[in-house]
Amino acid sequence: MSRPRSQAEYLARLVPPSVAGLNRRSLLAGAAGAGALLGTGLLAGCGSDSGSGGDAKTVSLGSNQSDPKPKDVIAKVMDGFKTSSGVTVDINTVDHNTFQENINNYLQGKPDDVFTWFAGYRMRFFAAKGLAGDVSDVWGKLSGYSDAFKKASTGDDGKQYFVPASYYPWAVFYRKSVWQQHGYQVPKTLDDLNSLGAQMKKDGLNPIAFGDKDGWPAMGTFDILNLRINGYQFHVDLMAGKEAWTSDKVKKVFDTWAGLLPIHQPDALGRTWQEAAQSLQQKKSGMYLLGLFVAQQFNDDEQDDLDFFTFPEVDSTIGAKALDAPIDGYMMARKPKSEANAKKLLEYLGSKDAANITVKNDPSTLVANTGADTSGYTALQKKAAELVGSATEIAQFLDRDTRPDFASTVMIPALQQFIKDPKDISGLLTSIENQKKSIFTS
């Protein structure tokens, strides 16, 4: 999940053509050093708009799993598919952030037959735009999925466009050995969290590890505060453009967040999530609000030292049962080069066999198929599964629960501006609301 290499590249990533009427690659072409970037085949894809033909023994996959561990797991899963089917998967791996921010161009061009993506609003958005293939017939062959997973895979037209593979909760992670050393207790309320943060500062720790160089991690902090302060329904309505960002409810979220910033690791805009996670791994930070994938930054012999708690209660009438637990999976291009092989691959990816390979190789995620053998889950994975199972409401994450153009062009710079200067909250929210109206009415 790399950061942009220049200001021009950063701006290019933030402005999808659906909003600005610009082709991002043309914009990048004018950026300093952009030639090297374009030479990498940025989301070039291997598919075809013809929807016909294709090598009977190959299928292409566009993957955003660019970090070492998930990239290795994807490769093992695809090897499993080749063994069972005789069909080879050509994997086109692209940096995670680049994949997300260029998805519009990718899907409107010549995408791979199958591509990694997310459940929620962003899946429905592209399905409604006609940029994804109907995989309802694949679902007729799948087993091991709850109605909730099928609902999360269904577009506005009632058809399925997504096959879930894995999911992971967001929570506050910590090292048990550090907490035992200092005698820390899990906070139950926001006051408890602030008191714990103050004590950690006295003990020479960064209380809450924090890194938002990539633009999306801070969305998790906004989500959980909004869920705790205003509840699930307000949160999803706000994401859908139905509530005003200038409301007192949203202002309270940012006021509360501003009060917590002093116990967050400073200079967050210059730090990736991996670097923030490493500060937790190195026992320099006491806590970290992130997804279960934080475990990727810990050595195998440190996995048992990693634990978590759900973000504490802010309002006792709302409680602390709602959380973010994004679902990752796969979609099919609208006109894959090899539709038969694409659907064959999706059927395999939704099988317990594929899930079993993931369980054996990745301690940082939970598999969606209930038929999988999860006896190999670590203690952390088992606890994470229990947390999701006990949640009263589950959100998909800010940039998946709202329009992709709103998330990238408005929320990323807005949240980074807030982190940089949290004083003018009213002005910030007015700006967000004005931009929201423009985007949601377009």
Side-chain angles (χ1 to χ4, degrees):
M1 297 183 183
S2 67
R3 72 182 191 277
R5 285 176 276 187
S6 68
Q7 183 180 26
E9 184 184 336
Y10 174 75
L11 293 173
R13 285 191 190 181
L14 291 182
V15 186
S18 61
V19 176
L22 295 173
N23 181 291
R24 181 180 281 101
R25 295 193 183 193
S26 296
L27 188 56
L28 279 173
L37 177 66
L38 295 176
T40 65
L42 176 66
L43 283 188
C46 304
S48 166
D49 279 338
S50 67
S52 62
D55 187 338
K57 293 298 182 181
T58 64
V59 62
S60 63
L61 172 74
S63 174
N64 63 2
Q65 299 296 319
S66 56
D67 284 346
K69 171 60 75 173
K71 184 178 181 180
D72 179 64
V73 174
I74 284 278
K76 286 182 167 65
V77 171
M78 299 310 151
D79 285 344
F81 174 67
K82 181 179 180 179
T83 299
S84 67
S85 68
V87 177
T88 298
V89 182
D90 295 329
I91 306 174
N92 173 27
T93 302
V94 177
D95 165 73
H96 195 280
N97 272 13
T98 304
F99 193 102
Q100 289 183 220
E101 299 306 332
N102 287 275
I103 190 69
N104 280 333
N105 278 353
Y106 175 63
L107 295 182
Q108 292 177 56
K110 295 184 178 181
D112 296 279
D113 298 325
V114 175
F115 58 96
T116 54
W117 200 237
F118 322 114
Y121 192 106
R122 296 193 89 172
M123 177 274 294
R124 299 194 305 273
F125 180 86
F126 291 120
K129 293 288 187 182
L131 296 176
D134 177 4
V135 296
S136 300
D137 53 346
V138 173
W139 267 88
K141 302 174 183 178
L142 298 181
S143 61
Y145 289 96
S146 67
D147 289 342
F149 275 114
K150 186 171 184 179
K151 183 178 180 180
S153 305
T154 302
D156 295 335
D157 59 2
K159 299 175 182 178
Q160 283 73 54
Y161 293 90
F162 180 82
V163 173
S166 60
Y167 65 101
Y168 53 90
W170 275 61
V172 184
F173 292 84
Y174 63 94
R175 294 199 67 153
K176 289 185 282 189
S177 58
V178 172
W179 281 46
Q180 289 167 356
Q181 176 187 346
H182 295 286
Y184 299 145
Q185 299 296 315
V186 171
K188 301 297 183 184
T189 67
L190 192 65
D191 287 342
D192 290 346
L193 181 64
N194 272 309
S195 297
L196 176 60
Q199 184 58 51
M200 286 181 172
K201 272 191 168 183
K202 292 179 182 178
D203 294 334
L205 296 169
N206 291 306
I208 301 177
F210 196 35
D212 198 53
K213 182 184 286 186
D214 297 317
W216 56 265
M219 294 177 177
T221 303
F222 173 82
D223 279 358
I224 199 63
L225 288 174
N226 198 26
L227 289 167
R228 293 289 180 269
I229 293 169
N230 297 314
Y232 174 80
Q233 193 57 52
F234 179 86
H235 179 71
V236 296
D237 287 345
L238 182 68
M239 295 298 98
K242 298 177 182 178
E243 294 284 354
W245 283 84
T246 49
S247 71
D248 289 341
K249 288 185 175 182
V250 180
K251 187 174 186 299
K252 185 175 180 180
V253 172
F254 281 91
D255 284 338
T256 303
W257 192 356
L260 290 170
L261 283 177
I263 60 171
H264 280 69
Q265 194 174 10
D267 304 319
L269 301 185
R271 185 180 303 108
T272 65
W273 75 263
Q274 293 97 329
E275 290 168 337
Q278 287 158 17
S279 77
L280 184 72
Q281 183 265 337
Q282 295 164 5
K283 301 185 177 183
K284 296 177 181 178
S285 293
M287 301 173 277
Y288 192 13
L289 173 65
L290 202 72
L292 183 61
F293 54 86
V294 68
Q296 295 170 9
Q297 299 300 311
F298 284 70
N299 300 323
D300 289 344
D301 60 358
E302 295 172 322
Q303 295 293 326
D304 288 343
D305 195 36
L306 192 59
D307 204 348
F308 67 83
F309 58 90
T310 189
F311 194 89
E313 177 182 286
V314 176
D315 184 333
S316 60
T317 65
I318 291 175
K321 285 291 189 179
L323 71 153
D324 272 329
I327 301 170
D328 289 347
Y330 302 88
M331 297 178 71
M332 184 177 74
R334 57 181 173 179
K335 293 181 179 180
K337 179 179 62 176
S338 178
E339 183 171 337
N341 284 341
K343 290 186 174 180
K344 187 182 294 185
L345 174 59
L346 286 166
E347 184 181 346
Y348 177 79
L349 292 172
S351 71
K352 65 179 182 180
D353 291 340
N356 286 337
I357 293 173
T358 300
V359 171
K360 290 179 182 178
N361 292 282
D362 191 352
S364 67
T365 192
L366 305 172
V367 292
N369 192 307
T370 59
D373 179 6
T374 56
S375 60
Y377 271 177
T378 64
L380 191 73
Q381 286 173 301
K382 291 176 182 177
K383 183 176 178 179
E386 291 171 1
L387 173 65
V388 176
S390 67
T392 54
E393 298 95 7
I394 297 175
Q396 286 298 308
F397 201 70
L398 191 154
D399 67 356
R400 306 183 186 194
D401 277 333
T402 192
R403 285 180 57 130
D405 42 9
F406 178 68
S408 62
T409 65
V410 179
M411 292 311 301
I412 287 178
L415 294 183
Q416 291 189 326
Q417 177 59 33
F418 167 76
I419 293 166
K420 183 179 180 180
D421 181 12
K423 296 176 183 177
D424 185 18
I425 293 173
S426 294
L428 180 71
L429 296 183
T430 297
S431 175
I432 294 175
E433 177 64 16
N434 289 339
Q435 293 177 80
K436 179 208 79 174
K437 289 178 180 177
S438 175
I439 289 174
F440 276 83
T441 56
S442 63

